[in-house]
Amino acid sequence: MSSTIDSSPVARSSPLRRPLFRGRTPTGTQSTLTVALRRLVMATLVVVTHLALGIAFWTVMDVDGWSIPEMAMFACFLLSLPWIVIGFWNGVIGFLLLRFSRDPLAATAPCATLAGPDDAIVARTALVMCVRHEDPERMIRRLDVILRSLDRTGHGALFDLHILSDSTRDDDADDERRAIEGWRRGLDRPERVFYRRRAVNAGFKAGNIREFLLSRGDGYELMITLDADSVMSGATILRLVRVMQANPKLGILQSLTVGLPARTAFARMFQFGMRASMRSYSMGAAWWSADAGPYWGHNAAIRVAPFRDHCGLDELPGKPPLSGPVLSHDQVEAVLMRAAGYEVAVLPEEGGSWEDNPTSLPDFLRRNLRWCQGNMQYLKLLRRPGLPLVGRLQLLLAVLMYAGAPAWIGFMIAGAVQAFGPPSVIGELDPPGTFPVGLSIGLFMTMLTLTFAPKLMGYLDVLSDPRKAARYGGASAFALSAAAEALFGFLLAPVISFSVTVFLIGLLGFGVCVGWEAQDRDGHRVGWREAAAKLWPATLFGLALSAALAASAPQVLFWAAPVLASFLLAVPFAVLTSSETLGRLAAQARLGVGPEETSAPAEVRAICDALPPLGGFGAPLAPFRFDAPLDGARLTPAD
């Protein structure tokens, strides 16, 4: 079944045709004037910061005239700024709210304050998990935990589970069906679990969900979307449902999703840094995005009727690779929901919503490039009629998130060329060795601070509150983890930018696409041959850049060392950080420890039956039986 949408209802009833400051947002919880003023403040901060940095860089470059490489550096610098500057102010605003606001929730998601913890649950809700060539036992284990956690709340009867398969290989589909049938036979109420496999995978995940809504959606008011690696507690699901019930004009409510305890060093450090930046970044972004928040495609509550009626996606016309089904569908669906007159909000509360993170550098790069390909399709959606201005901005920012990578790589290449002293096109000749290193250092440090500001704000928030630090094993353990993650981030970021740059050249120049298959959820040890095969271009680029700087501007090597190290060490970095042994050593050294390890909820204990030893934080978790019931705080240990 193909996915289509008639955009005319949106255009006819669009709230954008009403007066700009009519009164309240659709849920009635925010003043449109207040929201507009917040966005004006954010826009002013971003524009002023962008201009100030542009002027500073112009001053550096204009010391001795302009050369062609310097002009290229200036253009790349300006192109890379928007995403960095917005991230900086999101982090700063989020930190200020977390530390100094009396009620951060009321400031960022006031719709959530209308729901009480004891409100009756009346909405029929579908739990919807899309799968494609997934490990059936792994998938079922997560679903079993979610259902048992819901049943423990006493409200499980109001929830049905739908497993929507897009597996194209018959043997995988047969394994799915047998595993689900065997699991259903052991359930108290097997009639609430449904499995459906599509014969034609039109529209990928978005098309899968849309087909479900058209065939079964009438039976539900809400749905909770799940990925194959999603885990949610019953209490968190009920929290989302209660907020949706209290706000009939709330279309999508996205939960904050954090990483499950991980075995490999890569996943441990990656999710530690992600969690730190997410805390402040999401709070700051929610402050100004207000009723036009994001949707991340999973672990979210959705109002079925408007999503079905207004959020279907046409296939994009034109030639590949940007035509065809919309791959990064979630943010487009959020924009369409807001265009239809419903709010989209983030619930900025940690806890009860988890996912797995990539276990190795190659796995992360593969996932990141899939998102990159999908986000580039937004270029064709920016001029779609009926979309709110903030929605268009969010689609543009999603493009700029990846456009900044080639700008950064281009900046480095132009800088290396400039160091050889090419002839100026404006002003006097730049002799070799006159690159303004001294003036550049201050700007370099400023950019470094801006780039890592969301993480720094998240770290500062935890360290400034002993109660928060205790959840991470104490202030000293957290500070040590933050330092280790900073080193990890320095080694990771340049390789990511290089991979995105190479991919975009292939995507836009030669139509090379990345496949959308199942992720390697459990991971594997990356071997030296595999790492070298995937990362030799980055290593070669690092060698060439190092040689160019050493020959022309050796005084720059010290400041370029973190970036050069990322390229030169990419292969050993990928191999070593994929190791579970190194992951266990990191856990024993209290590196990357999160709240789920210091005090594991029952749902996490049920999923992570082979957590690494927790060192001084407690005894290692015992393995649990797959069919063991939840009994309060933990599962029954296996014999």
Side-chain angles (χ1 to χ4, degrees):
M1 181 180 296
S2 62
S3 299
T4 60
I5 180 172
D6 179 5
S7 59
S8 56
V10 174
R12 288 196 299 267
S13 62
S14 173
L16 298 178
R17 297 180 179 272
R18 304 170 185 170
L20 183 58
F21 305 126
R22 182 171 181 173
R24 315 293 295 180
T25 58
T27 61
T29 57
Q30 300 183 79
S31 163
T32 53
L33 177 59
T34 298
V35 171
L37 289 175
R38 288 182 179 183
R39 290 170 180 169
L40 179 60
V41 169
M42 182 66 177
T44 302
L45 290 172
V46 170
V47 170
V48 170
T49 305
H50 197 289
L51 287 175
L53 291 169
I55 292 171
F57 192 83
W58 178 283
T59 302
V60 170
M61 293 292 101
D62 198 42
V63 168
D64 50 6
W66 285 83
S67 66
I68 293 177
E70 285 176 333
M71 295 174 67
M73 290 172 68
F74 185 67
C76 290
F77 181 78
L78 294 180
L79 181 60
S80 68
L81 278 183
W83 182 258
I84 294 174
V85 173
I86 290 172
F88 168 76
W89 285 114
N90 280 343
V92 170
I93 293 171
F95 172 77
L96 294 176
L97 289 170
L98 288 167
R99 296 304 307 152
F100 302 109
S101 174
R102 292 183 178 179
D103 190 349
L105 183 63
T108 55
C111 60
T113 64
L114 300 183
D118 299 320
D119 290 354
I121 302 294
V122 296
R124 289 286 302 172
T125 303
L127 306 174
V128 178
M129 176 180 280
C130 294
V131 299
R132 178 178 171 84
H133 305 309
E134 301 287 347
D135 177 358
E137 181 177 342
R138 190 178 187 281
M139 168 188 70
I140 290 172
R141 184 165 192 166
R142 281 156 169 71
L143 293 174
D144 187 69
V145 167
I146 293 171
L147 286 186
R148 290 176 188 273
S149 185
L150 270 172
D151 288 344
R152 198 173 57 194
T153 69
H155 297 285
L158 287 170
F159 295 84
D160 290 337
L161 171 63
H162 292 265
I163 305 166
L164 311 180
S165 175
D166 255 356
S167 297
T168 56
R169 296 191 291 263
D170 289 339
D171 53 346
D172 286 345
D174 290 340
D175 290 343
E176 289 172 356
R177 186 176 293 105
R178 283 194 297 268
I180 292 169
E181 289 175 353
W183 173 50
R184 289 179 78 253
R185 286 194 293 269
L187 295 176
D188 292 335
R189 295 194 301 277
E191 68 279 359
R192 62 177 172 166
V193 176
F194 302 89
Y195 171 81
R196 185 267 288 140
R197 179 196 178 195
R198 287 201 301 172
V200 179
N201 305 133
F204 299 110
K205 180 180 175 182
N208 198 0
I209 291 179
R210 182 155 182 79
E211 184 170 307
F212 160 74
L213 293 177
L214 292 174
S215 60
R216 303 295 298 272
D218 288 341
Y220 304 98
E221 181 179 349
L222 305 174
M223 69 174 175
I224 306 290
T225 51
L226 303 168
D227 270 358
D229 61 350
S230 295
V231 182
M232 297 185 74
S233 70
T236 295
I237 291 174
L238 295 189
R239 171 72 165 139
L240 296 178
V241 170
R242 287 187 171 108
V243 174
M244 296 291 285
Q245 288 181 164
N247 298 273
K249 295 295 287 184
L250 180 59
I252 300 176
L253 181 61
Q254 176 67 60
S255 69
L256 287 188
T257 308
V258 300
L260 286 162
R263 294 181 175 91
T264 68
F266 182 92
R268 289 184 67 83
M269 300 315 302
F270 175 82
Q271 63 195 33
F272 182 86
M274 280 289 294
R275 190 166 192 162
S277 60
M278 179 181 67
R279 186 181 303 107
S280 58
Y281 185 98
S282 298
M283 186 70 70
W287 179 79
W288 63 267
S289 63
D291 57 333
Y295 169 45
W296 299 324
H298 58 92
N299 294 45
I302 297 176
R303 197 168 300 280
V304 166
F307 192 86
R308 178 193 58 209
D309 296 341
H310 300 290
C311 299
L313 301 175
D314 294 321
E315 290 196 1
L316 297 175
K319 298 179 180 180
L322 301 184
S323 62
V326 179
L327 302 178
S328 294
H329 57 89
D330 38 21
Q331 187 55 51
V332 184
E333 290 162 344
V335 173
L336 291 174
M337 180 67 82
R338 185 63 191 91
Y342 290 80
E343 288 192 21
V344 179
V346 172
L347 186 61
E349 299 174 344
E350 265 191 12
S353 181
W354 302 280
E355 65 176 343
D356 288 325
N357 281 314
T359 59
S360 67
L361 177 58
D363 291 335
F364 171 79
L365 295 179
R366 191 178 305 112
R367 185 184 75 168
N368 192 52
L369 296 182
R370 285 201 304 269
W371 291 349
C372 175
Q373 179 177 332
N375 284 19
M376 288 301 109
Q377 291 181 309
Y378 294 168
L379 292 169
K380 290 195 170 187
L381 295 169
L382 291 175
R383 289 188 289 181
R384 176 174 178 155
L387 300 184
L389 178 61
V390 174
R392 296 184 198 278
L393 174 64
Q394 288 167 327
L395 295 180
L396 177 60
L397 290 177
V399 173
L400 291 177
M401 177 174 65
Y402 287 102
W408 187 22
I409 297 298
F411 180 91
M412 287 188 285
I413 294 173
V417 173
Q418 168 63 21
F420 283 97
S424 297
V425 295
I426 302 176
E428 298 179 358
L429 187 70
D430 281 350
T434 60
F435 186 74
V437 177
L439 291 175
S440 301
I441 291 174
L443 186 59
F444 172 77
M445 297 305 296
T446 299
M447 290 303 301
L448 204 60
T449 302
L450 292 176
T451 301
F452 291 98
K455 289 183 182 180
L456 294 175
M457 294 298 103
Y459 293 150
L460 186 58
D461 174 53
V462 172
L463 291 173
S464 60
D465 188 336
R467 293 172 300 177
K468 291 182 179 180
R471 299 176 66 225
Y472 293 85
S476 60
F478 183 83
L480 184 63
S481 294
E485 195 282 326
L487 176 61
F488 175 86
F490 274 119
L491 293 175
L492 178 64
V495 173
I496 294 174
S497 293
F498 182 82
S499 71
V500 169
T501 301
V502 173
F503 176 72
L504 284 177
I505 293 172
L507 180 75
L508 302 178
F510 305 98
V512 178
C513 301
V514 68
W516 284 66
E517 289 296 326
Q519 299 180 43
D520 185 1
R521 309 280 185 187
D522 292 315
H524 65 283
R525 177 69 183 268
V526 177
W528 290 95
R529 179 174 296 181
E530 177 187 354
K534 295 179 181 297
L535 298 168
W536 69 263
T539 303
L540 184 61
F541 178 76
L543 288 170
L545 189 61
S546 300
L549 292 177
S552 60
Q555 68 273 26
V556 178
L557 286 174
F558 174 80
W559 301 102
V563 174
L564 298 177
S566 172
F567 296 129
L568 298 177
L569 299 177
V571 171
F573 177 80
V575 172
L576 295 175
T577 56
S578 71
S579 166
E580 291 191 14
T581 300
L582 187 60
R584 286 193 295 270
L585 292 175
Q588 292 169 356
R590 303 186 176 190
L591 295 178
V593 169
E596 285 73 25
E597 291 184 42
T598 59
S599 181
E603 294 82 6
V604 172
R605 286 179 172 265
I607 299 302
C608 303
D609 58 359
L611 279 170
L614 303 184
F617 302 119
L621 298 178
F624 299 97
R625 293 197 303 267
F626 174 66
D627 59 349
L630 286 165
D631 64 347
R634 58 175 297 165
L635 293 179
T636 304
D639 295 332

